[in-house]
Amino acid sequence: MKKTLLSVAMGLLLIAVSQGQEKLKLGVVAGANYNNFIGPDAYDSQFGFTAGVSFEYPFHKKWSFLSGLVFERKIGTNTFENIFYDNYNPALPIELQPYRSVVRHGWVTFDYITMPLAFRLKVDKKGYWFADMGTYFSYLHRAEFEVSEQAGQGYVVLGEHTNRIDGGLLIGIGAIFRLVNSELIVSVRDQLGLVNNVKSQYYLGENSYSPESMQINTITLLVGYSFDLK
């Protein structure tokens, strides 16, 4: 799957460069994301954020090529139960042992550096509305799991349990507001992850482990400001 995504990305880049005739546009983007973790016993969805730089390379009146580098923080939550046998009696079977149960809430955080590679099509005559389509690649900078109550487990670094490379399909829609020598761009982007993020399972608490497999679908509301390079 990773080789297929890379081949598609290289094809998009070569087409854009070979057809380009206009000025390159540079910009900054920022926004909020909502992350849907897909898989058996995956994390619950939560909001994160993204920020970075972008560039757009027009090669036709209606078509342009998009890329950039953005930082993405993807956040999820998990609720699990710890069981403690404070007064363990070896004479009793386990089902008769006195115990106390503690429900714990955990937060998982994935920090990615992401490069989108996509085409932008302006769908109306004046070029105010557009649609994006393509792919993306992400490199995992940091991953961790933190429990609300620091008893025993409490904090886990997930780097060794998580695949470093993520990627998938990218689609989006948005609008362009033209300013003097610049543009304000508002868009909604959906990144559908196709790569399994889990390299190996890790322990969360009593009889509780991380998902065996998981993909991340990220929907992002982006606001960007771009200008032409002279």
Side-chain angles (χ1 to χ4, degrees):
M1 180 61 68
K2 295 178 183 178
K3 291 182 179 180
T4 300
L5 291 173
L6 182 59
S7 298
V8 171
M10 291 302 297
L12 293 176
L13 182 60
L14 289 173
I15 291 173
V17 171
S18 65
Q19 298 295 322
Q21 299 175 351
E22 303 293 336
K23 295 179 180 179
L24 179 67
K25 297 181 179 182
L26 289 183
V28 292
V29 294
N33 60 40
Y34 184 74
N35 304 286
N36 184 20
F37 298 89
I38 302 172
D41 300 319
Y43 305 107
D44 295 327
S45 302
Q46 290 295 329
F47 288 96
F49 65 89
T50 184
V53 297
S54 65
F55 79 79
E56 181 179 355
Y57 191 55
F59 61 89
H60 185 270
K61 183 178 180 180
K62 287 185 172 293
W63 289 90
S64 58
F65 178 75
L66 304 175
S67 189
L69 281 177
V70 295
F71 172 84
E72 293 185 299
R73 172 157 290 182
K74 303 181 179 184
I75 300 174
T77 58
N78 188 38
T79 301
F80 58 95
E81 183 181 27
N82 282 152
I83 297 176
F84 298 92
Y85 298 96
D86 298 324
N87 299 304
Y88 183 78
N89 185 348
L92 295 175
I94 190 65
E95 60 270 14
L96 297 180
Q97 293 287 343
Y99 70 91
R100 61 185 177 92
S101 174
V102 177
V103 176
R104 300 194 183 279
H105 304 281
W107 290 265
V108 63
T109 301
F110 298 98
D111 288 344
Y112 283 99
I113 304 298
T114 296
M115 174 183 290
L117 297 166
F119 284 123
R120 172 164 292 171
L121 171 63
K122 295 177 180 177
V123 297
D124 64 321
K125 292 183 179 180
K126 294 185 178 181
Y128 294 136
W129 298 93
F130 63 82
D132 296 338
M133 62 212 79
T135 185
Y136 73 94
F137 294 92
S138 296
Y139 176 79
L140 181 69
H141 170 66
R142 183 178 67 100
E144 63 185 29
F145 182 86
E146 186 173 2
V147 180
S148 58
E149 299 166 352
Q150 302 286 333
Q153 194 69 19
Y155 181 87
V156 182
V157 177
L158 304 182
E160 63 184 56
H161 302 285
T162 308
N163 287 320
R164 288 290 178 181
I165 303 300
D166 191 17
L169 301 178
L170 182 154
I171 59 173
I173 57 173
I176 300 172
F177 302 91
R178 292 187 175 87
L179 308 175
V180 178
N181 299 322
S182 60
E183 294 176 339
L184 181 68
I185 302 171
V186 180
S187 65
V188 176
R189 180 178 294 175
D190 187 0
Q191 294 176 180
L192 179 60
L194 300 179
V195 177
N196 179 18
N197 297 83
V198 179
K199 187 176 181 180
S200 59
Q201 282 187 290
Y202 52 92
Y203 179 75
L204 296 179
E206 186 73 23
N207 298 320
S208 183
Y209 290 85
S210 67
E212 294 183 10
S213 64
M214 182 181 68
Q215 292 82 37
I216 306 177
N217 182 28
T218 301
I219 299 175
T220 306
L221 174 62
L222 281 173
V223 178
Y225 175 81
S226 69
F227 54 92
D228 293 337
L229 275 184
K230 297 183 179 180

